[in-house]
Amino acid sequence: MNSVARTIGAFGIVFGLPVLIYAFTFLCNDVTGCPAPSLLHPSTLTLDRLKEEVAWPEGGIRAFYDTEVTLWVLSYYLLSLVLYVVLPGQVADGTELACGGKLRYKFNAFSTAVLILSGLAVGTYFHGADFVVWTFLWDNYLQVITANLIIASTIAIFVYANSFSVPAPGQPNPQLRQLAPGGYSGNVLYDFFIGRELNPRISLPIPFVSEESRTIDIKVWCELRPGLLGWIILNLSNMAHQYKTYGYITDSIVLSTAFQAFYVLDGLYMEPAIMTTMDVIMDGFGYMLSFGDMVWVPFIYNFQTRYLAVFPHELGLRGIALVLAVTAAGYMIFRGANNQKDRFRTNPNDPRVAHIKYIQTATGSKLMTSGWWGYARHINYFGDWLMSWSYSLPTGIAGYAIIESVSPSTGELQKQAVQLPETRGWGMIFTYFFLIYFGVLLIHREQRDEEKCKKKYGKDWDRYTSLVRSRIIPGIY
């Protein structure tokens, strides 16, 4: 990829994706419908009318930011950081680094999540759907997005600037710092986006705690903590809003929330497995991962339950069975493949992987050619994508309009989300966007993985791909 293409791509993502998140928030709303009515009738579309339909704030873009909201969001990050430091956790070595040696990691993301979610459960028990966390997130959703965007951008700027202090090869390097392959092209915008340093870390000046507890691996911490758990917290806020609005909870929002929560908690429980992923081994930490972890994941991935909070769709037994079947198949592939890879890399003599066939590469690595990884070179991506269907399927053939009517009993004006023939299906642009995007993301990631592996293994990779021909979907792609 040439420098111009890299610059255009990085610019488009750095500035374009935040706009997309804001657009989703406005164009699929609880004021006029999903999508906003004028979008279905372009001949009547005017900027002033669209602003009215999407409840554009009177203060304009300045209303996107609120200092108090930002401070509360920062307090959530601080809580996550404090719990990382004070809670006990498993300590383990990462993989061998190119600069020599192994970094040490502390893992307690699961216990951190359990403690925070337990606190939220207690608050909900006493206050129900009016619990302040749930109402705060729904009422200040726009400002919460902005707060996370500011935090993610600040972290990305910090790690980029700090990456220029990485010791040159041959110089003393007790902290085992190194630049990421492909992260120092010389193109400032691209390097800021993709990440220059492989494993940026900070050491907190906290006495009386172990080195592992006060050392924060920024990439691993961001990938597994505030954003992932924030995704689930936003889903729970959406569920509370549905109950507060309608007085009941639908099977669709329960199912979507449950599957997404299971995905997150399973990943946090299996936290040590992250050490063998391409994100940790090969990718630098820059704006791409910072924004992705703390803005894109929580605010795009929660959109299905946000939609269902306004339009309470019921699945029924047949719909539930379909979602369960797709999810079970995806999880079996995803978790089975990742567990097999992790066990094979950490202990190839483990009886559960001792039967696996492989080829030995000149670099000393072993590439599996049987088991899950004999079906496709990135079979875990296929399982991951299948599981993502369970997030969107509960929204059905999405789309609704907000209809105003007068209550016959109270005489008060009330609003109701109704699916009209003209809106049916158009809401899928929003609720199924994640599924399409995630598929494209996995293909892009697979192509980057293939390129890196080709450079690393050379002719051994050609021999491997001749044995394992499929990339993601066995026999198809």
Side-chain angles (χ1 to χ4, degrees):
M1 185 184 295
N2 61 44
S3 180
V4 174
R6 283 177 169 174
T7 301
I8 293 174
F11 181 88
I13 294 175
V14 170
F15 296 101
L17 292 188
V19 173
L20 183 63
I21 291 177
Y22 287 123
F24 266 46
T25 303
F26 284 111
L27 299 180
C28 181
N29 60 69
D30 61 347
V31 178
T32 55
C34 181
S38 290
L39 297 180
L40 301 177
H41 304 282
S43 61
T44 67
L45 180 62
T46 64
L47 182 58
D48 289 339
R49 181 167 181 172
L50 185 61
K51 284 184 175 181
E52 182 180 346
E53 291 179 348
V54 303
W56 185 258
E58 292 183 4
I61 293 179
R62 288 177 295 181
F64 285 30
Y65 171 80
D66 184 274
T67 300
E68 183 178 352
V69 171
T70 301
L71 291 175
W72 278 115
V73 173
L74 278 170
S75 70
Y76 164 69
Y77 279 75
L78 180 60
L79 173 62
S80 182
L81 185 63
V82 169
L83 292 177
Y84 169 82
V85 173
V86 302
L87 290 180
Q90 176 186 349
V91 176
D93 290 334
T95 57
E96 186 75 25
L97 296 170
C99 64
K102 298 180 180 181
L103 294 172
R104 290 181 67 77
Y105 294 85
K106 177 183 176 182
F107 301 111
N108 62 8
F110 182 76
S111 56
T112 296
V114 169
L115 193 60
I116 292 175
L117 291 175
S118 297
L120 294 173
V122 171
T124 305
Y125 176 79
F126 286 106
H127 302 284
D130 291 317
F131 180 43
V132 64
V133 173
W134 309 142
T135 56
F136 172 84
L137 290 173
W138 186 273
D139 295 341
N140 301 283
Y141 188 75
L142 190 65
Q143 294 77 23
V144 173
I145 293 175
T146 303
N148 281 275
L149 179 59
I150 291 171
I151 294 169
S153 301
T154 301
I155 292 175
I157 292 170
F158 169 78
V159 296
Y160 176 78
N162 195 52
S163 69
F164 290 94
S165 63
V166 172
Q171 292 185 347
N173 189 11
Q175 296 177 317
L176 302 179
R177 299 177 64 195
Q178 65 181 62
L179 298 179
Y184 49 104
S185 66
N187 184 318
V188 174
L189 183 58
Y190 177 78
D191 291 348
F192 167 74
F193 165 73
I194 205 70
R196 293 189 82 248
E197 189 170 354
L198 182 63
N199 300 113
R201 293 182 154 207
I202 57 172
S203 183
L204 302 176
I206 304 175
F208 312 118
V209 297
S210 66
E211 182 178 350
E212 291 81 15
S213 292
R214 65 174 180 265
T215 300
I216 311 299
D217 188 292
I218 299 175
K219 177 164 61 175
V220 173
W221 189 83
C222 289
E223 188 155 334
L224 289 173
R225 290 172 186 271
L228 270 185
L229 184 58
W231 169 18
I232 303 309
I233 293 173
L234 286 168
N235 280 340
L236 295 173
S237 172
N238 297 338
M239 185 182 290
H241 183 79
Q242 186 189 76
Y243 184 82
K244 185 177 180 179
T245 303
Y246 297 100
Y248 60 88
I249 298 293
T250 59
D251 54 13
S252 57
I253 200 169
V254 169
L255 211 57
S256 188
T257 299
F259 283 133
Q260 293 176 42
F262 179 77
Y263 176 85
V264 170
L265 293 175
D266 177 72
L268 299 184
Y269 185 77
M270 303 297 295
E271 185 181 13
I274 195 174
M275 290 189 296
T276 59
T277 62
M278 295 296 289
D279 282 0
V280 172
I281 296 174
M282 301 291 288
D283 291 341
F285 184 80
Y287 182 86
M288 179 180 72
L289 287 180
S290 182
F291 172 82
D293 292 341
M294 292 174 285
V295 185
W296 187 260
V297 166
F299 295 101
I300 286 293
Y301 291 18
N302 95 98
F303 209 82
Q304 293 82 13
T305 61
R306 187 170 176 83
Y307 168 90
L308 292 168
V310 180
F311 184 72
H313 176 62
E314 292 283 1
L315 290 173
L317 292 177
R318 183 178 296 182
I320 292 174
L322 172 63
V323 176
L324 287 174
V326 173
T327 305
Y331 181 76
M332 179 180 68
I333 297 171
F334 175 79
R335 181 49 60 202
N338 280 338
N339 282 350
Q340 193 175 76
K341 176 185 68 174
D342 188 53
R343 288 165 183 154
F344 186 80
R345 286 182 173 178
T346 55
N347 182 17
N349 296 318
D350 188 317
R352 291 169 291 186
V353 295
H355 65 285
I356 297 294
K357 297 179 181 178
Y358 61 88
I359 63 171
Q360 184 77 46
T361 69
T363 64
S365 300
K366 298 175 181 179
L367 302 176
M368 293 182 284
T369 58
S370 68
W372 283 112
W373 300 91
Y375 293 114
R377 303 196 290 271
H378 307 277
I379 188 68
N380 58 326
Y381 291 173
F382 180 45
D384 209 0
W385 187 65
L386 277 180
M387 281 193 294
S388 72
W389 279 77
S390 67
Y391 310 160
S392 297
L393 285 175
T395 65
I397 309 300
Y400 61 79
I402 302 295
I403 305 298
E404 293 185 346
S405 61
V406 177
S407 172
S409 58
T410 64
E412 295 180 353
L413 187 66
Q414 59 184 14
K415 293 184 177 182
Q416 184 179 7
V418 178
Q419 188 166 81
L420 302 176
E422 67 175 9
T423 62
R424 180 176 169 81
W426 287 105
M428 296 173 71
I429 295 172
F430 303 96
T431 64
Y432 285 78
F433 170 82
F434 161 73
L435 193 150
I436 304 301
Y437 149 77
F438 195 45
V440 173
L441 173 70
L442 292 176
I443 291 174
H444 178 256
R445 178 177 290 183
E446 170 264 325
Q447 291 174 345
R448 289 195 298 120
D449 292 349
E450 292 272 327
E451 182 180 352
K452 291 173 181 176
C453 289
K454 174 65 177 175
K455 290 180 180 178
K456 181 177 181 179
Y457 299 118
K459 293 182 178 179
D460 288 326
W461 186 251
D462 294 333
R463 183 159 59 100
Y464 169 67
T465 56
S466 69
L467 296 173
V468 184
R469 295 182 176 274
S470 296
R471 292 170 173 258
I472 296 178
I473 306 177
I476 298 177
Y477 175 77

